[in-house]
Structure formats: structure tokens, C-alpha cells
Amino acid sequence: MKKVVLFLFVIFISNSYAAPMAECLKPAGIYTDVEMVLNQFVFNNGNPNWGDWCFEIEPSETSLCNNELDLWDKWLSCSEIKYKEHCHEYAVKENFLVSLEGSEYDAFIKKCVLDNYKSLL
């Protein structure tokens, strides 16, 4: 019971800090944790054998592991869109976009998105 309460508390806290991620469902991370996913696909500091461990575990769990990888892929697509929207809204609110040209704006959004992902670690 303590684990369930702790799990729900962590979910509540992470949701309150990740408002732009409200519609993106982050997988449980049973086979692959968020740090590994972010290193692989966001920070480009990953393992070239990404996902191979799904075939090295019990055969009965291989499909569950692969399903989780698919869920991570969906989460990454959703979270990137949400973070870009959030970063754009923040830039507009703070009036950062008035003088930025295309490349400066793109650099700002990219850094903002990366910073949001770093905050998850």
C-alpha cells in the first residue's frame, strides 16, 4: 500500500511541475527508464544497441518490453510538441520574440525544449 501511495504522490508532483505535458502519457519505465530514453533520443548520448535488451529478457516479456518502447516513442513525439508549444507561449508572454530572427527563435525554442527535458532527470 505504501508503494501505491508513494507512486501516486510522485505522479501528482510530476504532473504539477509538468503542466505542458498534461496530455502526454509517460510510460511506467519498467524495462526502460526516462533517463535512458532521453539520453538516446533527446541528448544523443545513447546506446547504439537501443532496444536489444527486449530480446535478451524472458521471451514472455519481450512483447511487453517492445510495447513499452512504442509507448516511449509516442511519449517523445507528444512531449516534444507540447514543450515546443509551451516554449513558444513563454517566449511570447515574456516578449522574447519581438526582435528574434528565424535562427535565433529556433535556437531559443531548441534550448527551452532541452531544458524542459533536463528537468525530468
Side-chain angles (χ1 to χ4, degrees):
M1 182 68 178
K2 287 182 181 179
K3 288 183 181 182
V4 171
V5 171
L6 181 61
F7 176 74
L8 292 174
F9 178 72
V10 169
I11 295 293
F12 172 77
I13 294 297
S14 65
N15 284 343
S16 65
Y17 286 105
M21 298 289 291
E23 296 97 26
C24 301
L25 299 175
K26 189 164 80 170
I30 296 169
Y31 302 99
T32 308
D33 63 17
V34 68
E35 183 177 6
M36 187 182 294
V37 171
L38 294 178
N39 279 333
Q40 185 70 31
F41 296 106
V42 177
F43 306 132
N44 296 320
N45 187 27
N47 184 333
N49 297 322
W50 168 257
D52 284 354
W53 57 89
C54 284
F55 299 101
E56 297 171 1
I57 59 177
E58 294 294 322
S60 61
E61 294 187 46
T62 298
S63 65
L64 295 173
C65 182
N66 282 322
N67 286 341
E68 185 179 85
L69 293 180
D70 290 341
L71 292 174
W72 278 119
D73 188 43
K74 290 176 184 173
W75 177 80
L76 281 167
S77 297
C78 177
S79 64
E80 182 177 6
I81 291 167
K82 294 296 179 186
Y83 281 144
K84 284 181 179 178
E85 289 172 358
H86 169 73
C87 291
H88 174 77
E89 290 170 5
Y90 176 74
V92 169
K93 177 183 171 202
E94 296 297 323
N95 207 20
F96 291 155
L97 298 179
V98 174
S99 63
L100 293 181
E101 295 180 14
S103 61
E104 289 177 291
Y105 170 77
D106 291 342
F108 172 80
I109 297 296
K110 183 176 181 179
K111 181 180 181 333
C112 178
V113 169
L114 285 175
D115 288 347
N116 277 280
Y117 279 122
K118 286 177 186 176
S119 72
L120 297 175
L121 300 178

